[in-house]
Amino acid sequence: MNDHPLAVPASATRVEDPRRLLSAIGELVDEAPDTMALHTREAYRLFVGRSLDTAKQQESIVGGRRVAAALRAIWYLSGNDNPYADWVLVDIGERISEIGGSLQRETQRGEDRLRALKQRGLNFSVLQSRVPQQVELGFRSPYGYAVADLVVRYDYCNRVIKTLVRKDLLPDRDGRSLIYSYTRRLRGLFEAPVRFERGLLREELRPLSRHDFL
């Protein structure tokens, strides 16, 4: 036994097993709920969708939430070696990118007009809702967040277009036409993953693998 006053106990010099410490690290979790703020009714309707109402003669609208769920199911099929699911994800991803880029360019044109007015002394702010809707996300696949980003781009583009109309920088008819054109494009995009999900989850297609495709 070492009674030296500066002696270090053997337990204090023990080195922890790095493998045990590595396995003890917990999984990553969200620090707080993911949310999205929507300012326009068009964007909120696009995200939540609408059920079929025959009494009011209203057709159903596939919303962003439903699209996110469909893409998550297709994503799982892709992870299970389904080649058709791979193709759907590539196709939808390209369409999301294309429409998102178009929205960004339209928004940029509007912001450039507002910026040019500011240089001349007119400072116009982009319209926003007095009570924006805070929507919790919590998606289980990256595609859900891609859909949310697209909806937010659409929402902000609408705000910029409506600002131009309000400030007499764009005719009301042209503003309505722009918003309607993007609404149609997005609804058409949102319907596609749901159709593909129904087809790919059929009993005869679900077990297909890349080997079958080759």
Side-chain angles (χ1 to χ4, degrees):
M1 183 174 179
N2 191 349
D3 294 328
H4 193 281
L6 297 180
V8 179
S11 58
T13 61
R14 185 180 303 151
V15 178
E16 294 284 355
D17 184 357
R19 291 173 297 179
R20 190 184 69 80
L21 294 176
L22 182 64
S23 63
I25 298 177
E27 64 175 337
L28 296 176
V29 297
D30 293 321
E31 186 177 359
D34 297 320
T35 62
M36 173 175 63
L38 297 176
H39 293 256
T40 64
R41 295 179 180 180
E42 295 92 345
Y44 186 74
R45 173 61 68 194
L46 183 71
F47 185 71
V48 301
R50 183 177 67 196
S51 301
L52 176 66
D53 192 332
T54 55
K56 295 182 179 179
Q57 297 183 339
Q58 290 182 338
E59 296 182 357
S60 62
I61 296 176
V62 177
R65 283 175 173 162
R66 178 68 184 89
V67 175
L71 288 171
R72 182 186 66 202
I74 297 171
W75 186 49
Y76 287 159
L77 287 176
S78 176
N80 289 330
D81 208 34
N82 188 304
Y84 299 99
D86 293 344
W87 177 84
V88 171
L89 294 179
V90 171
D91 178 64
I92 297 300
E94 290 178 348
R95 293 175 65 181
I96 288 176
S97 178
E98 190 273 328
I99 297 178
S102 181
L103 285 166
Q104 182 63 35
R105 289 188 294 272
E106 190 66 52
T107 301
Q108 187 65 54
R109 281 192 288 269
E111 290 180 327
D112 288 344
R113 297 188 68 177
L114 296 174
R115 194 174 297 111
L117 289 174
K118 186 175 182 179
Q119 291 177 347
R120 296 202 295 267
L122 288 172
N123 191 4
F124 295 154
S125 61
V126 176
L127 295 174
Q128 61 180 4
S129 172
R130 289 192 181 93
V131 186
Q133 291 297 312
Q134 296 287 340
V135 182
E136 282 200 17
L137 303 178
F139 297 120
R140 297 181 182 177
S141 84
Y143 295 94
Y145 291 98
V147 169
D149 179 64
L150 191 62
V151 172
V152 169
R153 288 174 182 262
Y154 169 73
D155 182 57
Y156 186 65
C157 185
N158 281 0
R159 291 167 57 194
V160 171
I161 292 172
K162 291 182 178 184
T163 300
L164 297 177
V165 172
R166 177 79 62 88
K167 310 304 180 183
D168 198 29
L169 299 172
L170 183 70
D172 181 71
R173 181 182 60 184
D174 293 350
R176 289 177 181 273
S177 178
L178 275 173
I179 292 174
Y180 179 68
S181 67
Y182 280 114
T183 302
R184 287 191 61 186
R185 290 176 67 183
L186 286 165
R187 287 184 180 177
L189 169 64
F190 281 8
E191 289 172 0
V194 176
R195 290 198 306 268
F196 284 125
E197 179 198 26
R198 293 192 186 112
L200 292 177
L201 288 179
R202 291 164 55 188
E203 292 299 325
E204 60 269 31
L205 292 181
R206 186 184 300 178
L208 290 179
S209 68
R210 294 180 179 89
H211 179 75
D212 297 319
F213 180 79
L214 294 173

